[in-house]
Amino acid sequence: MKIKLMRCCALVILGFITTLVQAQDYNNAQQLAQRLRSLASSSSSASLESLTKTLGGKDIWMLTLGTGDVDNKPAIAVVGGVEGKHLLGVEMAVRFAEDVIANRSELLENTTFYVFPNMSPDATEQYFAALKYGRSGNAKPTDDDRDGRLDEDPFEDLNGDGMITMMRVYDETGDWTTHAADARVMVKADKSKGEKGTYKYFTEGRDNDLDGKFNEDGQGGIHFNKSLTYEYAYFTPGAGEHPVSELENRALLDMLYTKWNIFSVVTFGPGNNLSSPWKYNRAGASKRVVTSILNGDDDINQLVSSKYNEIVGLKDAPRSGDQGGDFYQWAYFHFGKLSFGTPGWWVPTVKGDSTAAPNKDKNAEVNFIRWAAQEGIDNAFVEWTAIDHPDFPGQKVEVGGVAPFLMMNPPLDKIGDLGEKHAEFIAELAAMQPEIKLVNVKSESVGKGLTRITADLYNAGTLPTHSTMGQRSRWLRRVKVALQLDGNQEVVSGRKVQLIRNVDGDEAQQLTWLIKGKGSVTIEAGAPHTGIVSSSVDLK
């Protein structure tokens, strides 16, 4: 009887845990590790390794999907979790890997995928903590306000709801007012329109160091997405003491720089040049330190963007979250690869019913609150509640606002089939990869023991072998064409080894040699990111 009771209790507990995991939607670090290990063990085409551990003790995982000589096939790097508050990016990266193994294994015959699911695990773990707040930084203690003390002004949960939201203080000298379409939403007063502020607006907490600022030096140190070398913002909170200062940044870059076969990078994060491609700017492209996509690469971005919009079908994208030190810009401007970014989802535009005040400035919080109400998401907004605040004696202070994480991370049942659609898009990108071939190979005798060999070096892919930025950076390996001769053969004209800067998609370059000798020679051509081919030619 006791054994039956224990089994019954165990089943109840197991069911309860399962329900919690399902209700939670997103994976914490332990669950993510289990999910990745399960995926890797389910297929011989997948392998998993930890590149490093963060200061918070979390693994930085790399999942390799491929068959055969994976490092000598054209490859795409898929990166999630570049922004710590964006757990959806982690989910989209993992869903892509799961989709490839389950439904698109044929892709792995010609393409390798390196998937880095979460580059900000210290930050994303805050989603699962007892005190939830939007966090971007890792576990490194920092002195963000430069007062000689570390993490001395953290958040405080003043209303005891387990979340950090916002705090508004009624004050006629304030710069903030309520939004015309929804009085729960705070906006800066526009003095050019005659608006007057009636509130001061802060994050929820105390001014612990009495410097007049709130929560400016709390837990959550260096942001992965602020700590890369492109347009790095020195002396900015979250950026670190120097670029690539953190274990996770260094581990990723060290790995990427060993993968010569990567031709493109896809990032799930705030940056978005897929819904709307980057625009070529002549002034920015002419600078010594380039700040614009280069001429030619903009056409590629436009082509890939059109494929993305056709497949994924998302509309009304918000402004891209490009910033100094971010990853997906680094991948193009400093790594020289074709780089594409998307959040994977954003709050759809809601017009509201006839009773709703018009959201004329398309305020994101107003739109989110209306969408959440429409979707039946009850915990999206914490209603403003009056509190007694020791830093504002005798003043009206209220705590409330949009709940942390939800604007970027909806319940996963609200994103529909976007995981599958993004996998389809990345598969389409792989189908466009550069592919070197040797075609129209001919040999003809020209007398006196000499043979003329001609061949067309053809890129059968849609994408060029090298981006314009990649050619300028000189980092990408060029396409190598080499003749393999025996001791009785000699190259009379032409180069035995030559390096080709670029072959555009669906274009060819003709090569010719004059060879003295008998027998056969082998032409080998390609690079890790284009594929390597060879052709044997008989001498006349």
Side-chain angles (χ1 to χ4, degrees):
M1 184 71 177
K2 185 180 293 186
I3 293 174
K4 290 183 179 180
L5 182 61
M6 289 174 65
R7 286 178 178 172
C8 180
C9 290
L11 290 171
V12 170
I13 292 170
L14 180 60
F16 176 67
I17 292 173
T18 303
T19 301
L20 281 178
V21 171
Q22 291 173 342
Q24 191 169 264
D25 279 340
Y26 297 95
N27 295 144
N28 62 27
Q30 182 179 1
Q31 292 163 339
L32 176 64
Q34 291 172 346
R35 190 172 172 187
L36 294 173
R37 289 189 182 107
S38 176
L39 180 61
S41 65
S42 70
S43 172
S44 60
S45 301
S47 61
L48 181 68
E49 64 178 298
S50 174
L51 301 183
T52 190
K53 285 187 181 290
T54 66
L55 289 176
K58 307 296 188 299
D59 286 290
I60 298 296
W61 295 108
M62 181 177 85
L63 189 66
T64 301
L65 309 179
T67 59
D69 189 0
V70 294
D71 290 338
N72 281 301
K73 292 180 180 179
I76 298 174
V78 178
V79 185
V82 296
E83 163 53 56
K85 291 178 285 192
H86 189 225
L87 284 85
L88 181 62
V90 180
E91 180 67 24
M92 297 297 275
V94 178
R95 286 193 180 195
F96 162 73
E98 292 171 338
D99 187 278
V100 168
I101 295 300
N103 306 314
R104 306 175 199 272
S105 59
E106 70 281 356
L107 283 177
L108 304 181
E109 296 175 10
N110 300 308
T111 309
T112 297
F113 299 95
Y114 303 110
V115 183
F116 306 87
N118 190 359
M119 296 309 304
S120 305
D122 291 348
T124 55
E125 206 67 4
Q126 203 67 46
Y127 178 88
F128 309 98
L131 181 61
K132 294 178 172 56
Y133 57 87
R135 176 173 171 174
S136 298
N138 64 9
K140 175 176 281 187
T142 54
D143 179 17
D144 289 336
D145 55 358
R146 304 279 173 174
D147 65 352
R149 291 178 288 176
L150 303 177
D151 294 354
E152 84 285 350
D153 196 2
F155 298 110
E156 287 91 5
D157 182 13
L158 301 178
N159 62 350
D161 63 356
M163 295 184 288
I164 298 299
T165 50
M166 301 299 292
M167 181 172 67
R168 64 183 186 183
V169 182
Y170 184 78
D171 190 324
E172 292 185 27
T173 68
D175 296 325
W176 292 78
T177 186
T178 57
H179 195 279
D182 192 325
R184 294 174 293 179
V185 174
M186 304 301 295
V187 292
K188 275 252 179 135
D190 188 345
K191 294 182 180 180
S192 68
K193 296 180 180 179
E195 295 176 355
K196 293 183 178 181
T198 53
Y199 288 93
K200 291 183 177 180
Y201 196 50
F202 310 96
T203 52
E204 182 181 355
R206 296 279 311 278
D207 179 12
N208 295 290
D209 53 3
L210 303 178
D211 63 355
K213 300 175 183 178
F214 287 78
N215 319 127
E216 80 284 355
D217 194 7
Q219 290 182 335
I222 310 306
H223 304 196
F224 173 85
N225 216 33
K226 273 190 175 183
S227 191
L228 281 300
T229 53
Y230 177 69
E231 291 196 332
Y232 174 78
Y234 286 92
F235 309 114
T236 301
E241 295 300 319
H242 58 80
V244 198
S245 61
E246 302 310 292
L247 295 169
E248 51 268 39
N249 294 76
R250 172 61 66 185
L252 177 62
L253 268 58
D254 282 349
M255 179 56 69
L256 291 178
Y257 276 122
T258 70
K259 301 302 183 185
W260 296 99
N261 56 330
I262 293 173
F263 72 89
S264 182
V265 178
V266 175
T267 304
F268 288 106
N272 186 358
N273 66 342
L274 283 174
S275 296
S276 299
W278 283 332
K279 303 291 186 183
Y280 168 72
N281 177 277
R282 184 175 181 180
S286 301
K287 293 179 181 178
R288 185 178 68 84
V289 179
V290 176
T291 58
S292 165
I293 190 171
L294 297 182
N295 199 13
D297 290 344
D298 59 334
D299 292 334
I300 297 169
N301 197 167
Q302 176 64 59
L303 171 64
V304 174
S305 172
S306 65
K307 289 287 185 184
Y308 177 83
N309 289 321
E310 175 187 333
I311 293 169
V312 176
L314 289 171
K315 297 180 180 179
D316 301 321
R319 184 176 178 180
S320 179
D322 298 358
Q323 63 181 21
D326 70 6
F327 174 75
Y328 98 119
Q329 292 190 98
W330 170 87
Y332 173 74
F333 288 99
H334 286 186
F335 196 37
K337 312 293 184 179
L338 297 173
S339 178
F340 307 105
T342 175
W345 175 91
W346 48 83
V347 181
T349 299
V350 178
K351 294 182 179 179
D353 59 31
S354 58
T355 63
N359 186 17
K360 293 180 179 180
D361 62 353
K362 298 181 180 179
N363 182 278
E365 289 194 2
V366 171
N367 185 64
F368 169 71
I369 292 169
R370 290 180 176 179
W371 174 80
Q374 176 181 285
E375 297 296 320
I377 302 173
D378 298 328
N379 60 344
F381 191 89
V382 178
E383 297 297 336
W384 293 106
T385 305
I387 63 165
D388 292 324
H389 199 297
D391 294 330
F392 300 101
Q395 290 183 264
K396 181 181 178 182
V397 181
E398 295 173 298
V399 171
V402 173
F405 292 105
L406 293 185
M407 284 185 69
M408 299 178 76
N409 306 286
L412 289 178
D413 62 359
K414 301 299 181 186
I415 68 170
D417 59 355
L418 284 178
E420 181 180 344
K421 287 182 177 179
H422 280 85
E424 182 182 345
F425 161 70
I426 297 175
E428 181 68 23
L429 181 62
M432 299 166 70
Q433 70 189 29
E435 181 186 3
I436 284 295
K437 291 183 176 181
L438 289 166
V439 299
N440 301 323
V441 181
K442 300 177 182 177
S443 66
E444 55 182 326
S445 173
V446 294
K448 298 182 180 181
L450 298 177
T451 302
R452 177 184 292 117
I453 298 175
T454 58
D456 287 335
L457 183 69
Y458 175 56
N459 178 6
T462 303
L463 300 177
T465 61
H466 296 72
S467 67
T468 309
M469 181 60 78
Q471 296 175 57
R472 180 179 291 197
S473 73
R474 301 182 182 179
W475 176 255
L476 277 71
R477 287 183 173 174
R478 298 181 182 181
V479 174
K480 180 181 177 182
V481 182
L483 291 181
Q484 297 176 3
L485 309 176
D486 64 27
N488 298 315
Q489 298 166 342
E490 178 185 352
V491 178
V492 177
S493 176
R495 294 181 178 180
K496 182 179 179 182
V497 177
Q498 53 189 303
L499 300 177
I500 310 298
R501 289 176 59 85
N502 177 56
V503 184
D504 284 332
D506 193 30
E507 289 197 0
Q509 296 183 23
Q510 190 174 75
L511 306 171
T512 184
W513 300 269
L514 202 59
I515 309 296
K516 182 179 181 180
K518 296 294 183 180
S520 63
V521 299
T522 298
I523 310 170
E524 187 175 85
H529 67 282
T530 67
I532 298 173
V533 295
S534 63
S535 179
S536 181
V537 186
D538 292 329
L539 300 178
K540 302 295 185 181

